[in-house]
Amino acid sequence: MSAPEIQRHNELFEKAFSKTNLCIQCGYCLPACPTYQSMGTETASPRGRINLVKMAAEGKIDVTKDMAGPIDLCLGCRACEIACPVNVPYGQILEAAKEIIQKEKPKKTKDHFVHLLLTKGFTNPKFLNLIGDATWLYQKSGLNKLVQKTNAINLVAKPLGFFEKILPPVQKPSKRTKRGEWYKTERECKGKVAFFVGCVTDAMMHETNNNTIKLLNTVGLDVFIPEKQKCCGALHAHQGLLSETKELAKENLDVFKTSGIDYIVNSAGGCGAMLHEYRELLHDEPEWQQKAEAFSKKSVDVSVLLVKYGPLPFKREWNGIITYQPSCHLSNVQGVTEEPRQLLRSIPGANFIEMKDSDSCCASGGIYNLIHYEESSKILASKMENVKNTEATTVVTSNPGCLLQMKHGADKFAKDYKIETSHLVDLLVKLID
């Protein structure tokens, strides 16, 4: 074993070994783990992965050869944490393992591209807006129809072709939320919130952001969009780029002033989980602890505020069955489970039916569905069977990534059922306008 390899083992030992020792190997996590359910092997389970991290930290197995594969195939949905009777911090173990793998594994061309995209692209709102503008032009010009007809994008990567087909229409760039501005309620002001717009959502799905602001204004909240906010860092953390994640967190802590603001609100479960955990992310940096604690305490999903300050003034009824696919990071990390369901049940005329295993992951997982398309599809196929069994005409989600995944599921596994998909805030706005 080389000196750098020994150093990595020691680093992993320092970061994760004591946490892996908390696992009593009881197996309560197994039924909750989507990859264990689809792959059926011990190394595809939380218990097995924790054991691999433990052995790698002890220097008994190789980080790259033995641990990297099973860790890479984890969705990071954190459902195992909810099932765990002894509160093993699986997310922290996973992040530590990914960080060590990222440092040690030999880099392939694909890795370099992902690294460059995350460190240079996702940290630059102007670059992302440029991508969003180009996508709008691509759709508006009709070029997308030609690409879909010829399957030209499949020559680059088949998964990209699948997701290009179900990308919702991108609104005009001029309709993107204006940063540095207040959006005032026309009602009696009940509070002031700062809105985290998200990087991909702001660039490609800004109609959802506009709808979020409209709903917050409707229940009497003034909304401010901090101008220099950055990507939350969730995608970076998923790839093991923890130092980059921390830098993004610190930039956001400086930009979002918590004084005079009642809440920091978001409408993306994945981003919200990262914001919620800034305090854990920066727990070992004393100069940032107080800011991170204040930030995380005020970070909240939009559904929580809509319930707290509602009810919404619905003007229309909804016909048909609605079912709900929650974001894992909204449920398992932020602990928000009831509010989205409460909003759906409150829609006049709607018949809300819970699907079987609704809280299990849809296998979107950041960019998991692009990197591990086949594994993701197996989980998605099972999810769509549960959707169809409710006879739902609409599937509602609470995260842009889950929305695209469910759109792909409806397109691939439920064509005959004509199931619509919608983000929660987009559906609610349709009914109050």
Side-chain angles (χ1 to χ4, degrees):
M1 192 180 293
S2 67
E5 286 170 340
I6 293 172
Q7 187 180 337
R8 297 293 182 223
H9 283 283
N10 291 340
E11 200 177 335
L12 185 60
F13 187 92
E14 191 179 319
K15 287 176 181 287
F17 184 74
S18 62
K19 297 182 179 81
T20 63
N21 265 338
L22 295 172
C23 176
I24 56 174
Q25 300 286 299
C26 65
Y28 272 57
C29 57
L30 301 182
C33 176
T35 57
Y36 179 73
Q37 294 301 312
S38 66
M39 298 176 196
T41 61
E42 181 69 10
T43 55
S45 75
R47 182 177 68 181
R49 290 181 176 117
I50 289 171
N51 209 26
L52 288 174
V53 174
K54 185 178 181 181
M55 288 195 290
E58 291 172 325
K60 292 177 179 174
I61 62 172
D62 185 82
V63 166
T64 305
K65 193 169 66 178
D66 304 312
M67 188 184 80
I71 290 293
D72 197 38
L73 282 171
C74 176
L75 275 157
C77 69
R78 313 266 294 267
C80 52
E81 288 187 0
I82 304 299
C84 180
V86 293
N87 299 319
V88 175
Y90 179 82
Q92 294 175 27
I93 295 169
L94 180 68
E95 283 187 359
K98 285 193 168 188
E99 186 180 14
I100 300 303
I101 291 165
Q102 182 64 228
K103 289 177 180 175
E104 187 159 310
K105 72 177 180 182
K107 298 290 184 292
K108 298 174 184 174
T109 305
K110 182 182 78 174
D111 297 324
H112 281 298
F113 175 72
V114 172
H115 187 272
L116 190 66
L117 190 63
L118 289 174
T119 54
K120 303 296 181 189
F122 281 80
T123 55
N124 186 341
K126 287 182 180 175
F127 170 79
L128 287 170
N129 286 347
L130 189 64
I131 297 293
D133 296 352
T135 305
W136 171 77
L137 190 61
Y138 166 75
Q139 292 179 338
K140 189 75 179 170
S141 67
L143 185 59
N144 60 328
K145 291 175 184 168
L146 179 64
V147 169
Q148 287 166 19
K149 195 174 179 182
T150 59
N151 291 323
I153 202 167
N154 289 356
L155 297 174
V156 182
K158 270 191 176 180
L160 276 179
F162 296 136
F163 285 95
E164 189 277 339
K165 276 172 61 181
I166 48 86
L167 189 67
V170 177
Q171 273 195 321
K172 278 184 183 178
S174 60
K175 291 195 173 181
R176 189 174 289 129
T177 50
K178 301 290 186 296
R179 297 189 180 201
E181 291 191 9
W182 279 96
Y183 293 78
K184 300 271 190 176
T185 178
E186 293 178 358
R187 298 183 167 202
E188 179 191 352
C189 181
K190 299 175 185 171
K192 297 179 178 180
V193 304
F195 181 31
F196 184 85
V197 295
C199 50
V200 176
T201 308
D202 191 39
M204 308 280 286
M205 301 164 76
H206 40 277
E207 184 174 13
T208 300
N209 279 348
N210 290 325
N211 289 338
T212 302
I213 294 168
K214 184 178 281 189
L215 290 172
L216 292 168
N217 285 163
T218 299
V219 296
L221 296 171
D222 285 345
V223 182
F224 180 63
I225 317 287
E227 185 174 359
K228 294 184 178 177
Q229 59 181 288
K230 290 292 184 71
C231 171
C232 66
L235 292 176
H236 302 74
H238 289 170
Q239 297 303 311
L241 302 170
L242 274 198
S243 61
E244 288 82 355
T245 308
K246 288 184 176 183
E247 287 309 307
L248 288 167
K250 290 172 186 174
E251 288 187 64
N252 280 326
L253 292 183
D254 277 339
V255 166
F256 281 82
K257 307 297 180 190
T258 51
S259 60
I261 293 291
D262 298 304
Y263 295 100
I264 298 165
V265 64
N266 71 84
S267 54
C271 300
M274 192 73 246
L275 303 178
H276 182 75
E277 293 204 314
Y278 274 0
R279 57 187 153 200
E280 283 81 14
L281 180 72
L282 299 170
H283 77 280
D284 57 350
E285 300 194 34
E287 69 274 28
W288 289 96
Q289 274 182 357
Q290 195 173 352
K291 269 189 179 182
E293 184 69 31
F295 183 99
S296 293
K297 199 177 284 184
K298 290 193 174 184
S299 177
V300 66
D301 184 74
V302 61
S303 62
V304 175
L305 297 186
L306 296 181
V307 169
K308 181 180 173 73
Y309 292 100
L312 288 166
F314 291 114
K315 294 177 182 172
R316 292 182 177 80
E317 292 197 349
W318 186 266
N319 294 317
I321 296 172
I322 294 176
T323 195
Y324 175 55
Q325 172 57 41
S327 147
C328 296
H329 289 98
L330 180 62
S331 302
N332 302 332
V333 181
Q334 299 179 72
V336 177
T337 57
E338 185 51 32
E339 287 86 349
R341 291 175 168 90
Q342 194 172 331
L343 289 166
L344 292 172
R345 289 192 193 101
S346 72
I347 295 173
N351 183 7
F352 174 72
I353 295 184
E354 195 81 55
M355 76 171 95
K356 181 186 174 190
D357 296 331
S358 60
D359 286 327
S360 69
C361 186
C362 66
S364 169
I367 55 173
Y368 186 97
N369 50 5
L370 293 176
I371 297 174
H372 301 296
Y373 180 75
E374 295 302 328
E375 290 81 0
S376 170
S377 287
K378 289 176 191 168
I379 296 168
L380 181 59
S382 173
K383 174 65 66 178
M384 293 313 299
E385 280 304 309
N386 292 337
V387 171
K388 287 190 286 188
N389 287 337
T390 66
E391 300 184 358
T393 52
T394 307
V395 186
V396 174
T397 73
S398 46
N399 183 54
C402 303
L403 176 64
L404 293 180
Q405 179 77 340
M406 297 309 291
K407 277 183 181 293
H408 178 50
D411 182 62
K412 184 172 182 180
F413 299 112
K415 270 186 178 172
D416 297 339
Y417 290 82
K418 296 182 180 175
I419 298 170
E420 289 185 22
T421 54
S422 176
H423 191 290
L424 175 64
V425 299
D426 297 335
L427 179 69
L428 294 175
V429 162
K430 282 182 189 172
L431 302 172
I432 64 165
D433 267 346

